[in-house]
Amino acid sequence: SSEGRGMPLLQVDCAMAAPSSSPMEVELADSWTTRDSAPLSAAAERAVSGFYEAQRARHQQERERSLRLGSARGSAKWNRQELYIDPSRRSSAAAASRRHLARHPEWWRGAPLPCAEAKLREIVAAQHFFQVDCDDVGLPAPERRSEDIFGEEGDLADVSEQLLLDGPRSTYVIDGEDWDYAAEQLQTSGDENEQGTLLLERDPLEAERQKGAFTCRLAAAVRQCL
């Protein structure tokens, strides 16, 4: 997610690690529709409303700074602010998060609460930011909410260039499978001193080819999940 970039570990199951050891889905289809969902518990409702209120307050402050600085409308930052400042857009996003939680009552129903309220809020954040990033792929560039640049053709069409940069230097778990470029290099060479840096020094072109091949496989694995 553009909001969570910088974390060294991303798990896609399709997508996140649950509070327990079981996988936790991040459903993206139909999430911006307006179908009603079953009522949530008080804790789950507080998690949703608290998350979106925090986003509204944060982006309202950013908008006020943008106006003082004379920032242009139509920028990714402006579009992102609109998502939370505009009541109808914020309401639609919150409704999608409620539907996501409603699909998983095992997270919030019962006593004691299966997931603490703070953990429920993290679930809401993960679902929402994944959704925003996925939706951005299909939006015209002037309407996107992030500054991500996407590929336009070939195996990496619609893949964020940030993933291309992060792929070989990060660790991922996708549908239960570990993806770690450095570990692959170590396994191939059998010698920790022969991985990564030395390959780059010995044969820069081959190092880049291997990184590119790894990133293509990584992107394909994510696509299969989605």
Side-chain angles (χ1 to χ4, degrees):
S1 165
S2 58
E3 296 285 341
R5 193 167 295 137
M7 294 192 302
L9 175 64
L10 171 64
Q11 174 143 343
V12 180
D13 217 17
C14 309
M16 302 287 294
S20 65
S21 59
S22 59
M24 189 168 62
E25 299 174 2
V26 174
E27 297 96 346
L28 299 176
D30 89 338
S31 60
W32 294 113
T33 61
T34 56
R35 292 203 305 265
D36 293 334
S37 59
L40 302 177
S41 69
E45 185 58 43
R46 285 195 301 270
V48 174
S49 59
F51 170 77
Y52 283 99
E53 174 55 27
Q55 295 301 312
R56 186 206 63 76
R58 170 189 167 190
H59 288 85
Q60 183 64 54
Q61 289 183 339
E62 289 186 358
R63 170 60 59 84
E64 292 169 2
R65 286 197 298 270
S66 296
L67 291 172
R68 287 197 298 270
L69 295 173
S71 297
R73 293 174 180 266
S75 66
K77 179 177 289 188
W78 186 280
N79 296 338
R80 188 163 59 247
Q81 293 165 358
E82 281 295 297
L83 177 58
Y84 305 106
I85 295 173
D86 181 81
S88 63
R89 297 186 188 187
R90 188 174 67 252
S91 178
S92 294
S97 295
R98 291 187 178 94
R99 285 192 297 278
H100 178 60
L101 290 181
R103 295 186 183 104
H104 297 279
E106 69 275 12
W107 295 343
W108 48 266
R109 182 179 291 164
L113 194 65
C115 295
E117 189 173 323
K119 182 59 67 176
L120 290 172
R121 191 161 165 168
E122 291 176 2
I123 293 171
V124 170
Q127 171 268 325
H128 173 69
F129 292 139
F130 269 102
Q131 183 66 55
V132 171
D133 277 358
C134 286
D135 286 350
D136 262 15
V137 176
L139 290 176
E143 297 179 19
R144 290 175 181 166
R145 283 73 57 91
S146 76
E147 291 83 4
D148 287 352
I149 300 173
F150 299 91
E152 297 181 354
E153 59 185 17
D155 292 339
L156 299 177
D158 298 331
V159 176
S160 168
E161 289 191 1
Q162 189 63 46
L163 178 63
L164 305 185
L165 294 172
D166 290 341
R169 61 193 185 196
S170 303
T171 300
Y172 300 82
V173 179
I174 303 174
D175 203 18
E177 181 180 356
D178 292 338
W179 290 78
D180 186 333
Y181 176 75
E184 281 194 9
Q185 292 299 302
L186 176 59
Q187 189 175 38
T188 300
S189 68
D191 184 347
E192 186 172 1
N193 292 324
E194 289 297 321
Q195 65 170 314
T197 302
L198 289 186
L199 176 61
L200 182 61
E201 294 174 351
R202 189 172 62 249
D203 192 341
L205 292 179
E206 176 62 16
E208 290 305 310
R209 188 197 68 77
Q210 290 188 19
K211 287 180 181 180
F214 175 85
T215 302
C216 285
R217 291 188 289 113
L218 177 69
V222 173
R223 275 204 181 95
Q224 285 185 331
C225 266
L226 299 177

Short mmCIF file of all heavy atoms in Angstrom, two decimals, residues 103-138:
data_model
loop_
_atom_site.label_atom_id
_atom_site.label_comp_id
_atom_site.label_asym_id
_atom_site.label_seq_id
_atom_site.Cartn_x
_atom_site.Cartn_y
_atom_site.Cartn_z
N ARG A 103 -18.16 -9.82 6.72
CA ARG A 103 -17.88 -11.15 6.16
C ARG A 103 -17.13 -12.03 7.14
O ARG A 103 -17.02 -13.24 6.95
CB ARG A 103 -17.07 -11.02 4.87
CG ARG A 103 -17.78 -10.35 3.72
CD ARG A 103 -16.91 -10.41 2.46
NE ARG A 103 -17.52 -9.72 1.34
CZ ARG A 103 -17.14 -8.53 0.89
NH1 ARG A 103 -16.15 -7.90 1.50
NH2 ARG A 103 -17.74 -7.97 -0.13
N HIS A 104 -16.58 -11.43 8.17
CA HIS A 104 -15.73 -12.17 9.12
C HIS A 104 -16.14 -11.89 10.56
O HIS A 104 -15.38 -11.29 11.33
CB HIS A 104 -14.26 -11.79 8.91
CG HIS A 104 -13.75 -12.16 7.55
ND1 HIS A 104 -13.33 -13.44 7.24
CD2 HIS A 104 -13.62 -11.43 6.41
CE1 HIS A 104 -12.96 -13.49 5.97
NE2 HIS A 104 -13.13 -12.28 5.45
N PRO A 105 -17.33 -12.34 10.96
CA PRO A 105 -17.77 -12.09 12.34
C PRO A 105 -16.88 -12.75 13.38
O PRO A 105 -16.88 -12.35 14.55
CB PRO A 105 -19.19 -12.68 12.37
CG PRO A 105 -19.21 -13.66 11.23
CD PRO A 105 -18.33 -13.07 10.17
N GLU A 106 -16.09 -13.74 12.96
CA GLU A 106 -15.17 -14.40 13.90
C GLU A 106 -14.11 -13.45 14.41
O GLU A 106 -13.44 -13.75 15.42
CB GLU A 106 -14.51 -15.62 13.25
CG GLU A 106 -13.52 -15.33 12.13
CD GLU A 106 -14.16 -15.14 10.76
OE1 GLU A 106 -15.40 -15.00 10.69
OE2 GLU A 106 -13.41 -15.12 9.76
N TRP A 107 -13.95 -12.29 13.77
CA TRP A 107 -12.96 -11.32 14.24
C TRP A 107 -13.51 -10.42 15.34
O TRP A 107 -12.74 -9.86 16.11
CB TRP A 107 -12.50 -10.43 13.09
CG TRP A 107 -11.75 -11.15 12.01
CD1 TRP A 107 -11.17 -12.38 12.08
CD2 TRP A 107 -11.51 -10.68 10.67
NE1 TRP A 107 -10.60 -12.71 10.88
CE2 TRP A 107 -10.78 -11.69 10.00
CE3 TRP A 107 -11.84 -9.50 10.00
CZ2 TRP A 107 -10.37 -11.56 8.68
CZ3 TRP A 107 -11.44 -9.37 8.69
CH2 TRP A 107 -10.71 -10.38 8.03
N TRP A 108 -14.85 -10.24 15.39
CA TRP A 108 -15.40 -9.21 16.29
C TRP A 108 -16.60 -9.66 17.10
O TRP A 108 -17.09 -8.92 17.94
CB TRP A 108 -15.79 -7.97 15.49
CG TRP A 108 -16.60 -8.24 14.25
CD1 TRP A 108 -16.13 -8.41 12.98
CD2 TRP A 108 -18.02 -8.41 14.15
NE1 TRP A 108 -17.15 -8.66 12.09
CE2 TRP A 108 -18.33 -8.65 12.78
CE3 TRP A 108 -19.07 -8.36 15.08
CZ2 TRP A 108 -19.63 -8.85 12.32
CZ3 TRP A 108 -20.36 -8.55 14.63
CH2 TRP A 108 -20.63 -8.81 13.27
N ARG A 109 -17.08 -10.88 16.90
CA ARG A 109 -18.26 -11.34 17.63
C ARG A 109 -17.86 -12.27 18.77
O ARG A 109 -17.04 -13.16 18.59
CB ARG A 109 -19.22 -12.08 16.68
CG ARG A 109 -20.51 -12.55 17.33
CD ARG A 109 -21.39 -13.24 16.32
NE ARG A 109 -21.91 -12.30 15.32
CZ ARG A 109 -22.46 -12.68 14.17
NH1 ARG A 109 -22.51 -13.97 13.84
NH2 ARG A 109 -22.92 -11.75 13.34
N GLY A 110 -18.45 -12.06 19.92
CA GLY A 110 -18.20 -12.94 21.06
C GLY A 110 -17.48 -12.24 22.18
O GLY A 110 -17.03 -11.11 22.06
N ALA A 111 -17.43 -12.92 23.30
CA ALA A 111 -16.73 -12.40 24.48
C ALA A 111 -15.85 -13.52 25.04
O ALA A 111 -16.34 -14.63 25.24
CB ALA A 111 -17.74 -11.93 25.53
N PRO A 112 -14.57 -13.27 25.30
CA PRO A 112 -13.91 -11.98 25.04
C PRO A 112 -13.78 -11.72 23.54
O PRO A 112 -13.86 -12.64 22.73
CB PRO A 112 -12.54 -12.16 25.68
CG PRO A 112 -12.29 -13.64 25.61
CD PRO A 112 -13.64 -14.28 25.83
N LEU A 113 -13.59 -10.47 23.19
CA LEU A 113 -13.50 -10.05 21.80
C LEU A 113 -12.34 -10.79 21.12
O LEU A 113 -11.21 -10.75 21.61
CB LEU A 113 -13.27 -8.54 21.73
CG LEU A 113 -13.46 -7.86 20.38
CD1 LEU A 113 -14.92 -7.95 19.95
CD2 LEU A 113 -13.02 -6.40 20.46
N PRO A 114 -12.60 -11.51 20.00
CA PRO A 114 -11.52 -12.25 19.34
C PRO A 114 -10.33 -11.37 18.94
O PRO A 114 -9.19 -11.77 19.06
CB PRO A 114 -12.22 -12.85 18.11
CG PRO A 114 -13.67 -12.90 18.48
CD PRO A 114 -13.90 -11.71 19.36
N CYS A 115 -10.65 -10.18 18.42
CA CYS A 115 -9.60 -9.23 18.05
C CYS A 115 -9.80 -7.95 18.85
O CYS A 115 -10.92 -7.42 18.91
CB CYS A 115 -9.67 -8.89 16.56
SG CYS A 115 -9.32 -10.25 15.46
N ALA A 116 -8.74 -7.45 19.42
CA ALA A 116 -8.83 -6.17 20.12
C ALA A 116 -9.24 -5.08 19.14
O ALA A 116 -9.03 -5.17 17.93
CB ALA A 116 -7.49 -5.83 20.77
N GLU A 117 -9.81 -4.02 19.69
CA GLU A 117 -10.29 -2.93 18.83
C GLU A 117 -9.16 -2.34 17.99
O GLU A 117 -9.35 -2.01 16.82
CB GLU A 117 -10.93 -1.84 19.71
CG GLU A 117 -11.63 -0.77 18.92
CD GLU A 117 -12.40 0.19 19.82
OE1 GLU A 117 -12.97 -0.25 20.83
OE2 GLU A 117 -12.40 1.40 19.51
N ALA A 118 -7.98 -2.23 18.58
CA ALA A 118 -6.84 -1.70 17.82
C ALA A 118 -6.50 -2.62 16.64
O ALA A 118 -6.15 -2.14 15.55
CB ALA A 118 -5.63 -1.55 18.73
N LYS A 119 -6.61 -3.94 16.84
CA LYS A 119 -6.34 -4.87 15.75
C LYS A 119 -7.40 -4.77 14.67
O LYS A 119 -7.10 -4.84 13.48
CB LYS A 119 -6.26 -6.29 16.28
CG LYS A 119 -5.94 -7.35 15.23
CD LYS A 119 -4.62 -7.09 14.53
CE LYS A 119 -3.46 -7.25 15.48
NZ LYS A 119 -2.17 -7.09 14.79
N LEU A 120 -8.66 -4.58 15.06
CA LEU A 120 -9.72 -4.40 14.08
C LEU A 120 -9.46 -3.16 13.23
O LEU A 120 -9.70 -3.15 12.02
CB LEU A 120 -11.07 -4.28 14.78
CG LEU A 120 -11.61 -5.55 15.44
CD1 LEU A 120 -12.86 -5.24 16.26
CD2 LEU A 120 -11.92 -6.62 14.39
N ARG A 121 -8.96 -2.13 13.87
CA ARG A 121 -8.65 -0.90 13.13
C ARG A 121 -7.52 -1.15 12.14
O ARG A 121 -7.54 -0.61 11.03
CB ARG A 121 -8.28 0.20 14.13
CG ARG A 121 -8.18 1.58 13.52
CD ARG A 121 -8.29 2.63 14.61
NE ARG A 121 -7.87 3.93 14.15
CZ ARG A 121 -8.07 5.06 14.82
NH1 ARG A 121 -8.71 5.02 15.99
NH2 ARG A 121 -7.65 6.22 14.36
N GLU A 122 -6.56 -1.98 12.50
CA GLU A 122 -5.49 -2.33 11.56
C GLU A 122 -6.04 -3.10 10.37
O GLU A 122 -5.61 -2.91 9.23
CB GLU A 122 -4.42 -3.16 12.29
CG GLU A 122 -3.62 -2.38 13.31
CD GLU A 122 -2.65 -3.26 14.07
OE1 GLU A 122 -2.58 -4.48 13.75
OE2 GLU A 122 -1.96 -2.76 14.96
N ILE A 123 -7.01 -3.99 10.63
CA ILE A 123 -7.64 -4.75 9.55
C ILE A 123 -8.35 -3.79 8.59
O ILE A 123 -8.25 -3.92 7.37
CB ILE A 123 -8.64 -5.77 10.13
CG1 ILE A 123 -7.89 -6.85 10.91
CG2 ILE A 123 -9.47 -6.40 9.02
CD1 ILE A 123 -8.81 -7.78 11.69
N VAL A 124 -9.08 -2.84 9.16
CA VAL A 124 -9.78 -1.84 8.34
C VAL A 124 -8.77 -1.07 7.49
O VAL A 124 -8.99 -0.86 6.29
CB VAL A 124 -10.59 -0.88 9.23
CG1 VAL A 124 -11.12 0.29 8.40
CG2 VAL A 124 -11.75 -1.62 9.89
N ALA A 125 -7.68 -0.66 8.09
CA ALA A 125 -6.66 0.10 7.35
C ALA A 125 -6.09 -0.73 6.20
O ALA A 125 -5.94 -0.23 5.07
CB ALA A 125 -5.55 0.54 8.30
N ALA A 126 -5.78 -2.00 6.47
CA ALA A 126 -5.21 -2.85 5.42
C ALA A 126 -6.18 -3.01 4.27
O ALA A 126 -5.81 -2.84 3.09
CB ALA A 126 -4.84 -4.22 6.01
N GLN A 127 -7.43 -3.35 4.58
CA GLN A 127 -8.43 -3.52 3.53
C GLN A 127 -8.59 -2.24 2.70
O GLN A 127 -8.61 -2.27 1.46
CB GLN A 127 -9.78 -3.92 4.15
CG GLN A 127 -10.96 -3.92 3.18
CD GLN A 127 -11.69 -2.59 3.15
OE1 GLN A 127 -11.81 -1.91 4.18
NE2 GLN A 127 -12.15 -2.18 1.97
N HIS A 128 -8.68 -1.13 3.40
CA HIS A 128 -8.93 0.14 2.70
C HIS A 128 -7.76 0.55 1.82
O HIS A 128 -7.94 0.91 0.65
CB HIS A 128 -9.22 1.23 3.73
CG HIS A 128 -9.32 2.59 3.12
ND1 HIS A 128 -10.36 2.96 2.29
CD2 HIS A 128 -8.50 3.68 3.19
CE1 HIS A 128 -10.19 4.19 1.88
NE2 HIS A 128 -9.07 4.65 2.41
N PHE A 129 -6.54 0.49 2.34
CA PHE A 129 -5.39 0.94 1.56
C PHE A 129 -5.12 0.01 0.38
O PHE A 129 -4.71 0.45 -0.70
CB PHE A 129 -4.16 1.09 2.44
CG PHE A 129 -4.27 2.22 3.44
CD1 PHE A 129 -3.82 2.06 4.75
CD2 PHE A 129 -4.84 3.43 3.08
CE1 PHE A 129 -3.93 3.10 5.68
CE2 PHE A 129 -4.95 4.47 4.00
CZ PHE A 129 -4.49 4.30 5.29
N PHE A 130 -5.33 -1.31 0.57
CA PHE A 130 -5.22 -2.22 -0.56
C PHE A 130 -6.24 -1.84 -1.63
O PHE A 130 -5.94 -1.84 -2.82
CB PHE A 130 -5.46 -3.68 -0.12
CG PHE A 130 -4.21 -4.40 0.26
CD1 PHE A 130 -3.88 -4.59 1.59
CD2 PHE A 130 -3.37 -4.93 -0.71
CE1 PHE A 130 -2.74 -5.28 1.96
CE2 PHE A 130 -2.21 -5.62 -0.35
CZ PHE A 130 -1.90 -5.79 0.98
N GLN A 131 -7.47 -1.54 -1.19
CA GLN A 131 -8.53 -1.20 -2.14
C GLN A 131 -8.18 0.06 -2.93
O GLN A 131 -8.35 0.11 -4.14
CB GLN A 131 -9.85 -1.01 -1.41
CG GLN A 131 -11.02 -0.72 -2.33
CD GLN A 131 -11.35 -1.90 -3.24
OE1 GLN A 131 -11.58 -2.99 -2.73
NE2 GLN A 131 -11.36 -1.68 -4.53
N VAL A 132 -7.72 1.08 -2.23
CA VAL A 132 -7.37 2.34 -2.90
C VAL A 132 -6.27 2.10 -3.93
O VAL A 132 -6.35 2.59 -5.07
CB VAL A 132 -6.94 3.40 -1.88
CG1 VAL A 132 -6.36 4.63 -2.59
CG2 VAL A 132 -8.12 3.82 -1.01
N ASP A 133 -5.26 1.32 -3.57
CA ASP A 133 -4.17 1.06 -4.50
C ASP A 133 -4.65 0.28 -5.72
O ASP A 133 -4.26 0.56 -6.85
CB ASP A 133 -3.05 0.28 -3.81
CG ASP A 133 -2.11 1.19 -3.03
OD1 ASP A 133 -2.30 2.42 -3.08
OD2 ASP A 133 -1.19 0.69 -2.37
N CYS A 134 -5.50 -0.73 -5.48
CA CYS A 134 -6.01 -1.52 -6.60
C CYS A 134 -6.90 -0.68 -7.51
O CYS A 134 -6.84 -0.79 -8.74
CB CYS A 134 -6.77 -2.74 -6.08
SG CYS A 134 -5.71 -4.04 -5.42
N ASP A 135 -7.73 0.16 -6.92
CA ASP A 135 -8.60 1.02 -7.72
C ASP A 135 -7.80 2.01 -8.56
O ASP A 135 -8.19 2.36 -9.68
CB ASP A 135 -9.57 1.78 -6.82
CG ASP A 135 -10.66 0.90 -6.28
OD1 ASP A 135 -10.79 -0.26 -6.75
OD2 ASP A 135 -11.41 1.34 -5.37
N ASP A 136 -6.68 2.48 -8.01
CA ASP A 136 -5.87 3.46 -8.73
C ASP A 136 -5.37 2.93 -10.07
O ASP A 136 -5.19 3.70 -11.02
CB ASP A 136 -4.68 3.89 -7.87
CG ASP A 136 -4.94 5.19 -7.13
OD1 ASP A 136 -6.13 5.60 -7.06
OD2 ASP A 136 -3.99 5.80 -6.62
N VAL A 137 -5.15 1.62 -10.15
CA VAL A 137 -4.65 1.04 -11.40
C VAL A 137 -5.61 1.32 -12.54
O VAL A 137 -5.19 1.57 -13.68
CB VAL A 137 -4.44 -0.48 -11.24
CG1 VAL A 137 -4.01 -1.10 -12.56
CG2 VAL A 137 -3.40 -0.76 -10.17
N GLY A 138 -6.91 1.31 -12.26
CA GLY A 138 -7.90 1.51 -13.30
C GLY A 138 -8.35 2.94 -13.51
O GLY A 138 -9.21 3.20 -14.36
#
